[in-house]
Amino acid sequence: MEAPLENRIGRLFIQRGQKLVLAESCTGGLLGHLITNVPGSSEYFLGGITAYSYEAKQSLLGVKPETLIQFGAVSRETVLEMAQGVRRLFSDQVAEEKLVGVAISGIAGPGGAQPGKPVGLVWIGLSAVEGNWAAAFYGQGSREENKAFSARCALEALHAYLEGKLTLGKSGE
């Protein structure tokens, strides 16, 4: 039986000598919870920020007000700025080139849908020394199910990155 994804991610971080930092919105810290369920996660997990409001995204993670106004909190642009911002935030502890930042922003439901942004939409962003990556995913469940789905999508993206199966772009791509 294969080890849980969280455990495999931990082993890969240790092998690569990198550290993980998180910027969560709709998941409210669930991804950090899953990561810290793994014994020894303190070897590679520095911490995370739960930035639920626009104000928190701006003041804690450096998301530009223009980004939030033009694209909204649930967007490619915002999660990329969140992932880059959380890396900057923790760069006083570890060299930024050793940090991998993961960001999540979505609409867990049951309310909050907007034109073109249905309940269940989540954007996952990742920022590392090689570049940046973001993608949208669509959950179909209750609020709790959408949060769990979002955290699982982030774990899968992180695992793909650590295994070299995720192509990162250089200019915010």
Side-chain angles (χ1 to χ4, degrees):
M1 185 169 154
E2 195 170 36
L5 193 53
E6 299 89 324
N7 294 65
R8 289 182 276 148
I9 285 168
R11 285 194 295 273
L12 289 167
F13 264 106
I14 292 167
Q15 287 171 8
R16 291 173 62 116
Q18 291 178 299
K19 305 290 184 181
L20 174 63
V21 292
L22 305 175
E24 297 186 64
S25 187
C26 67
T27 49
L30 180 58
L31 182 56
H33 170 75
L34 294 172
I35 294 292
T36 58
N37 279 343
V38 177
S41 57
S42 61
E43 290 186 51
Y44 54 88
F45 180 57
L46 296 182
I49 300 294
T50 301
Y52 207 65
S53 69
Y54 273 35
E55 295 80 11
K57 286 176 180 67
Q58 291 173 45
S59 65
L60 297 172
L61 300 171
V63 175
K64 296 182 209 100
E66 313 80 73
T67 301
L68 293 166
I69 291 166
Q70 185 175 355
F71 301 104
V74 182
S75 66
R76 170 186 193 82
E77 294 79 8
T78 295
V79 295
L80 287 172
E81 288 186 25
M82 289 171 66
Q84 293 163 4
V86 77
R87 284 181 67 222
R88 278 192 304 275
L89 187 64
F90 281 89
S91 66
D92 64 338
Q93 295 179 29
V94 173
E96 195 168 344
E97 60 269 9
K98 293 279 189 183
L99 293 173
V100 177
V102 174
I104 302 173
S105 190
I107 304 169
Q114 302 168 15
K117 294 185 180 183
V119 167
L121 169 65
V122 63
W123 276 93
I124 309 294
L126 189 144
S127 178
V129 68
E130 303 93 338
N132 305 292
W133 170 92
F137 300 88
Y138 295 89
Q140 301 288 318
S142 68
R143 181 176 185 82
E144 292 78 19
E145 290 167 335
N146 286 337
K147 288 172 66 173
F149 169 81
S150 299
R152 183 61 44 193
C153 288
L155 286 172
E156 289 172 3
L158 185 55
H159 187 251
Y161 161 74
L162 292 167
E163 289 203 319
K165 297 176 181 173
L166 192 68
T167 304
L168 305 184
K170 280 293 180 193
S171 61
E173 295 296 316

